[in-house]
Amino acid sequence: MLASAAHDSAPADADAGPTRTRWPCPAGAVEILPPDAAATDYERWRDARLEGLGGSDIAAVLGLVSWESEFGLWLTKIGMRPPVVETPMMTRGRYAELMLAQWFADQTGLALRRTGTWAVPEFDPETGRTVAGWMRCNPDRFTSDGGGVEFKAPDTDDWGNLWRDGPAEHATVQAEWCMAVTGCPHWYIVADGGRDGLRWWRIDRDEQRLQWMVDRAADWWWRHIVCGDPPDVDGSTATTEACKESSSPAGSLLGQVEVPGCAGWAHRRRELKDQMKTLKSELDVIENRFKAALLHHAVATDGGTPVLAWEYRKDQKVRMLKEPKK
């Protein structure tokens, strides 16, 4: 991940103010949809997202997030999954964007401009015409110093995990993808830091890294979308949820389907379930031995060394076994 410094209450840069506006002129990229397309023409906006890889997709392509898998992304791009229903966290982020944009502009002196969907054109040999290609992005804003900005509203858990040492990796690659598409020399990641106030980072363009990212994305798009070869199915929760969301309703399920080699899967599944049952029984015995020994004590020791603690949690109502802190 590119290294960049965090800034709090940064002074305004007079050189970068509205009087010295340098709106980016993306090299080769074209704006294919206006800023309000999601509200005014949702189907067209949705189709534009399905027909390419955007900033919110690239982290899944690179395997950097837990909430989306390559297989789940593939199901989305081929139209097998229903439209995403906005969650409370997504709604929070949408409203937070307005606040963060004004806050960031006030603190930096940069002017911001709303923008729509951008795509890198490519030649279509079937029609002989130049069309919007698969490389796409929806920047939150362009900045008057020639860059762009991505706004995020992490929750408390995210700050403790994903954002602890700087911008979350998924936000960084989203910013880098926007640079790859638009040609901008830098991008800002701006986040609501809660009690810590506004947090922001500047990511500068790294041609070698961007080329690596584009090559990975191009290979993914060619193999899985153009050639129709599905990505490998993994055991992630994201893939489980994607399969559920893409399943036909009970009343429209078809009959049998031939799945070569699935008898071997079923045999191995039975073996694993039997092993899990055996392991679970053995684990239960060991945990109960500790609980029986710790009825009136907090920590079990062996030779004076702490081994396992039985701690109270949730307002002292629940005791849970936990390895003691070293």
Side-chain angles (χ1 to χ4, degrees), residues 70 74 216 218-231:
E70 290 188 61
W74 177 75
R216 284 282 300 271
D219 180 69
W220 193 95
W221 186 262
W222 174 259
R223 287 192 294 118
H224 303 314
I225 304 302
V226 177
C227 297
D229 181 22

Side-chain angles (χ1 to χ4, degrees), residues 12 16 68 79 88 156 161 177 181 200 235 288 325:
E68 182 63 288
T156 303
N161 298 311
W177 184 253
V181 173
W200 60 272
N288 281 342
K325 295 180 181 179

Side-chain angles (χ1 to χ4, degrees), residues 8-294:
D8 297 289
S9 302
D13 181 357
D15 240 3
T19 58
R20 292 292 300 276
T21 300
R22 299 187 297 275
W23 299 119
C25 181
V30 294
E31 189 174 27
I32 60 175
L33 289 177
D36 295 322
T40 60
D41 193 346
Y42 176 77
E43 290 188 1
R44 187 181 173 199
W45 176 81
R46 179 200 61 199
D47 290 345
R49 291 176 66 88
L50 294 178
E51 292 165 0
L53 290 176
S56 58
D57 302 322
I58 193 65
V61 169
L62 299 177
L64 299 178
V65 291
S66 60
W67 55 84
E68 182 63 288
S69 65
E70 290 188 61
F71 189 78
L73 180 63
W74 177 75
L75 287 174
T76 297
K77 294 302 178 182
I78 64 174
M80 291 280 289
R81 293 173 78 176
V84 175
V85 177
E86 187 172 78
T87 64
M89 278 298 295
M90 294 168 65
T91 302
R92 173 176 175 266
R94 182 162 53 84
Y95 280 99
E97 180 181 318
L98 303 175
M99 176 269 291
L100 292 171
Q102 186 62 58
W103 197 356
F104 179 67
D106 290 344
Q107 293 223 349
T108 62
L110 293 172
L112 307 180
R113 183 178 64 135
R114 296 181 65 230
T115 185
T117 302
W118 290 82
V120 176
E122 62 181 26
F123 179 74
D124 183 357
E126 294 185 2
T127 63
R129 297 179 179 179
T130 299
V131 298
W134 60 272
M135 286 182 61
R136 304 184 177 192
C137 69
N138 289 274
D140 285 342
R141 299 289 192 281
F142 281 143
T143 59
S144 55
D145 63 350
V149 60
E150 180 68 28
F151 298 109
K152 298 295 183 183
D155 60 21
T156 303
D157 290 339
D158 282 344
W159 274 117
N161 298 311
L162 302 178
W163 296 76
R164 180 176 53 196
D165 301 319
E169 195 166 17
H170 68 86
T172 299
V173 298
Q174 185 173 0
E176 291 172 327
W177 184 253
C178 287
M179 284 190 278
V181 173
T182 64
C184 291
H186 60 268
W187 213 265
Y188 298 97
I189 300 173
V190 179
D192 178 5
R195 70 180 65 182
D196 293 326
L198 186 71
R199 300 282 291 165
W200 60 272
W201 300 263
R202 170 172 162 151
I203 310 296
D204 291 315
R205 189 180 184 91
D206 181 331
E207 294 295 346
Q208 184 175 358
R209 179 174 168 83
L210 294 189
Q211 189 59 59
W212 166 80
M213 185 181 298
V214 170
D215 289 344
R216 284 282 300 271
D219 180 69
W220 193 95
W221 186 262
W222 174 259
R223 287 192 294 118
H224 303 314
I225 304 302
V226 177
C227 297
D229 181 22
D232 291 337
V233 176
D234 61 19
S236 67
T237 301
T239 293
T240 300
E241 293 303 314
C243 289
K244 289 180 180 178
E245 294 168 2
S246 304
S247 296
S248 298
S252 61
L253 288 174
L254 304 176
Q256 299 179 351
V257 60
E258 183 66 19
V259 183
C262 73
W265 302 351
H267 176 71
R268 182 57 177 158
R269 178 177 180 269
R270 286 191 295 270
E271 287 183 337
L272 292 172
K273 289 179 75 69
D274 289 342
Q275 291 176 23
M276 290 172 64
K277 184 177 180 180
T278 300
L279 292 172
K280 177 64 167 56
S281 298
E282 184 178 351
L283 176 63
D284 289 342
V285 170
I286 293 174
E287 293 205 332
N288 281 342
R289 286 176 179 172
F290 273 106
K291 292 174 182 177
L294 291 171

